[in-house]
Amino acid sequence: MPTSSPASACRACAITRKQTSASPPSRVSSPPDRRLAISWAANSWSRCGRDFGAMRLARPATACRTKRRTAMDELDVLVIGAGVTGLAAAWWLTREGKSVVVWEAAAQAGGKIGSTQHDGYLTERAASMVLNFRPEVNELLRESGLERAKTARRREAEANRYVLHRGLLQPVPMRLGALLRSPLWSLRGKLRMFAEPLVLTRGGKGESVSAFITRRLGKEVLDKAIEPFIAGTLAADPDQTCAAAALPRLAALERRFGSLTAGVLMSRILGRNSSSGTEVFSFRGGMNTLVEGLLATGRLRLETRHSVQHLARERGGWRVSASTPQGERSVWARQLVLATPAANAARLLLAHDAELARLLQGIEYASVALVHLGFARQVVGHDLNATGFLAPRAESPVLTGNLWASTLFPDRAPAGKVLLTSYLGGARAPQAIDWDDSRLVAETLGHLSPLIKLHGEPEMLRVERQHAALPLYHGAYQARMQALAVRLKALPGLYLEASYREGVSVRDRIVRGHGVARAILAADPPSGAARGGASLARQGA
Ligand SMILES: Cc1cc2nc3c(=O)[nH]c(=O)nc-3n(C[C@H](O)[C@H](O)[C@H](O)COP(=O)(O)OP(=O)(O)OC[C@H]3O[C@@H](n4cnc5c(N)ncnc54)[C@H](O)[C@@H]3O)c2cc1C
């Protein structure tokens, strides 16, 4: 069992290997600053007593090669899955001096995230933006150099959010005066909303979003604001979604202050209104830049086309086998982070704990179809002065929302064109994922044409299907998560972390990656020589 970090003794060897065999093919962007990776690699190489300039010319000396073999065969941590969760966890663990490798089944890192450039349009197949108020995200971006690649949301997109109401786009009121005038709610609905502080009843454990919002704010708020939000951002059904999991901040306000209104006011008075520190951004080149930027730091050791097939307990750690294009590979790791979707984790864990596998297998996922349409600006009559719109189920049985991507961020469409991305299906209409392209496009245009006053055909059209796109926090979600945590205690050194736990957003995934790294470092602190010290270990202890 290794007691120190073998990789930190000879990081440059791992970099050499990654540069020759494991770099993912670039999908869109150049990394924000390749110089960072090169200078870091140069430093590591010179620590090995080598000249960086000779790196591509000479093979490493035998001593270094031996260390490399050790580093590849025995690790502090193996991360399975190079989605944003796995990459974030690996990034922090490596920073703290752990020897970490990420194995990814696909040909490139990123998981759900993927940006595609075509005909001058930049489309996203999952996350389009990060909505952040967490310091962990800022820290990751600052230290990786990605801060410089950020693109802020445009001012026009900040001003409005629309919701579909009686066949028209109505702005969601953000101030009291606008709320009083808004046609979204009846007078009775508004009075019910204002009566929220007087509601004394408390919901039961596992209360649904619909029950929680109806109890606190009334059914009209559920129908016109929260249902479209849950369907549009989580692809979920609020009647079945656990309120504490999907709306954790609102649930916490009720717990703490007894009322959402009182909670918001108190948070403002105490200066803890997190929305004031909320930032919405993407990256130049799209969300894929987040993935490529992390890889470009040279800190992560990634092996793509490594599909993990088998896990075995061995010497207090885990022996992991993967199928690769070169045949089977196996590695021993003291700790294992399984950062895959729940069904993949269930398959790998079945032989170790059938009940844990059953809990994972029972997590439902929703599929989403995306329709990206590009138009010449002059064929769209609407100002497109918003992030886009959400569509309540009473107004739209299949389409849940439409993102005005070219209003949100620059460089999403060629000059004089606009890019609009629609989301169809989810828990609201599971059948939509099986529709053919022409039916999906017809459904989308049927809604868009009158709403944004279209008088021309799309000049760019792209349909993408995300099967099992998002985990649904449906049913007895919290009880399932608690049972899962109990089962995990019997499998030391195993960490399960992906979007089915504690939030699907990129922000939550980065924060949870940080959390997993902290837990591992607390359980197994790095040696004193580790680069960057053991700051996370101290936080976790
Ligand atoms: C349509 C859509 C829109 C979205 N929009 C936003 C948004 O605007 N903002 C936002 O914050 N979030 C958004 N999200 C959510 C966010 O993109 C995802 O929740 C997040 O990217 C998931 O990351 P992950 O690392 O947990 O999982 P994944 O991205 O699923 O990564 C898991 C990885 O594990 C790998 N893997 C699986 N099995 C194995 C195995 N046996 N061996 C090796 N590797 C394996 C997979 O290949 C994959 O790469 C959106 C999601 C969707 C689907």
Side-chain angles (χ1 to χ4, degrees):
M1 191 185 299
T3 51
S4 65
S5 161
S8 59
C10 188
R11 279 199 178 88
C13 299
I15 289 168
T16 315
R17 186 182 163 75
K18 186 165 89 60
Q19 283 176 337
T20 53
S21 64
S23 293
S26 168
R27 266 184 280 177
V28 171
S29 58
S30 300
D33 193 348
R34 284 212 184 272
R35 278 169 305 173
L36 265 180
I38 292 167
S39 68
W40 190 83
N43 290 339
S44 308
W45 192 255
S46 54
R47 277 203 296 277
C48 244
R50 305 275 134 205
D51 169 23
F52 180 62
M55 189 165 143
R56 267 180 238 103
L57 301 175
R59 288 177 66 82
T62 315
C64 256
R65 256 187 286 142
T66 311
K67 281 181 186 166
R68 180 179 72 191
R69 204 176 307 123
T70 312
M72 293 312 297
D73 293 346
E74 301 213 336
L75 300 166
D76 289 335
V77 186
L78 178 73
V79 176
I80 303 174
V84 67
T85 310
L87 292 177
W91 194 85
W92 266 296
L93 285 164
T94 312
R95 187 188 76 167
E96 302 290 321
K98 291 282 179 190
S99 61
V100 184
V101 167
V102 184
W103 276 2
E104 165 56 50
Q108 70 282 312
K112 299 279 183 301
I113 289 176
S115 318
T116 310
Q117 190 89 246
H118 48 98
D119 301 337
Y121 291 92
L122 175 57
T123 61
E124 301 283 2
R125 68 184 164 114
S128 304
M129 68 189 105
V130 184
L131 191 150
N132 184 43
F133 47 83
R134 292 293 301 243
E136 296 90 334
V137 177
N138 295 332
E139 185 180 305
L140 180 85
L141 300 185
R142 197 176 50 247
E143 289 192 16
S144 62
L146 273 160
E147 186 70 40
R148 293 193 294 275
K150 269 164 63 176
T151 323
R153 176 175 57 174
R154 280 180 162 153
R155 207 177 285 269
E156 308 93 279
E158 264 173 60
N160 290 311
R161 284 136 233 227
Y162 288 108
V163 67
L164 187 54
H165 175 66
R166 296 189 180 148
L168 296 173
L169 294 183
Q170 291 293 347
V172 177
M174 305 306 285
R175 296 186 179 281
L176 184 63
L179 191 149
L180 291 172
R181 290 190 300 276
S182 173
L184 281 174
W185 297 287
S186 68
L187 177 61
R188 195 189 159 105
K190 288 171 190 164
L191 290 173
R192 175 64 185 81
M193 212 185 294
F194 291 128
E196 193 275 334
L198 307 176
V199 175
L200 298 177
T201 56
R202 290 296 175 105
K205 235 181 168 193
E207 185 179 31
S208 73
V209 166
S210 295
F212 173 70
I213 295 296
T214 307
R215 178 169 61 76
R216 294 243 51 106
L217 291 155
K219 180 132 181 3
E220 290 191 30
V221 174
L222 171 71
D223 291 343
K224 289 294 165 191
I226 303 298
E227 186 281 328
F229 170 76
I230 294 288
T233 60
L234 300 176
D237 174 358
D239 298 348
Q240 299 182 59
T241 302
C242 168
L247 303 172
R249 290 204 279 169
L250 290 188
L253 286 181
E254 183 188 49
R255 263 197 317 276
R256 177 125 194 258
F257 300 101
S259 142
L260 309 185
T261 316
V264 169
L265 289 174
M266 283 306 289
S267 301
R268 280 206 182 143
I269 291 165
L270 297 171
R272 289 198 206 127
N273 184 9
S274 58
S275 68
S276 59
T278 299
E279 195 190 359
V280 177
F281 60 87
S282 179
F283 299 90
R284 281 194 297 283
M287 290 298 295
N288 210 43
T289 297
L290 171 62
V291 175
E292 293 197 347
L294 289 177
L295 296 175
T297 61
R299 192 181 269 182
L300 299 176
R301 293 161 65 196
L302 168 73
E303 303 271 7
T304 55
R305 296 190 169 95
H306 278 53
S307 174
V308 173
Q309 304 295 327
H310 187 249
L311 311 177
R313 297 289 288 153
E314 189 184 295
R315 290 186 287 133
W318 293 86
R319 178 148 297 278
V320 182
S321 314
S323 65
T324 80
Q326 287 77 39
E328 190 185 301
R329 269 193 77 188
S330 117
V331 73
W332 181 90
R334 199 198 316 254
Q335 320 253 18
L336 191 59
V337 179
L338 207 37
T340 69
N344 305 54
R347 269 194 295 282
L348 291 171
L349 291 170
L350 186 60
H352 297 275
D353 183 339
E355 175 57 13
L356 178 58
R358 191 192 64 78
L359 289 166
L360 287 163
Q361 198 64 57
I363 297 171
E364 281 176 68
Y365 276 70
S367 299
V368 178
L370 291 87
V371 177
H372 308 285
L373 298 173
F375 293 96
R377 182 67 188 91
Q378 66 269 19
V379 307
V380 182
H382 195 282
D383 285 346
L384 299 180
N385 54 348
T387 300
F389 68 85
L390 291 170
R393 57 188 161 195
E395 301 274 343
S396 164
V398 176
L399 182 138
T400 57
N402 183 245
L403 191 76
W404 298 345
S406 50
T407 306
L408 251 179
F409 299 115
D411 304 328
R412 269 30 181 188
K417 320 274 181 184
V418 294
L419 172 64
L420 313 175
T421 295
S422 300
Y423 302 87
L424 297 92
R428 185 186 288 179
Q431 72 282 7
I433 196 76
D434 298 321
W435 288 4
D436 62 22
D437 288 7
S438 55
R439 189 166 177 197
L440 288 166
V441 172
E443 175 75 18
T444 303
L445 286 173
H447 280 288
L448 287 190
S449 292
L451 291 174
I452 59 169
K453 304 183 189 85
L454 276 178
H455 46 87
E457 295 296 311
E459 62 147 59
M460 187 282 295
L461 192 158
R462 186 179 161 88
V463 175
E464 290 183 280
R465 290 175 185 76
Q466 279 267 20
H467 291 270
L470 287 156
L472 298 171
Y473 293 7
H474 278 183
Y477 170 80
Q478 281 193 310
R480 184 184 296 278
M481 288 301 118
Q482 279 158 10
L484 194 138
V486 170
R487 307 296 309 179
L488 274 177
K489 286 194 182 133
L491 294 168
L494 174 69
Y495 297 82
L496 291 186
E497 192 51 67
S499 55
Y500 58 86
R501 292 188 92 179
E502 309 269 343
V504 304
S505 71
V506 170
R507 174 198 66 239
D508 289 336
R509 297 294 84 231
I510 292 174
V511 171
R512 293 289 298 176
H514 179 270
V516 126
R518 223 171 53 176
I520 288 176
L521 290 159
D524 184 15
S527 61
R531 217 165 69 95
S535 53
L536 275 186
R538 280 198 299 276
Q539 282 175 38

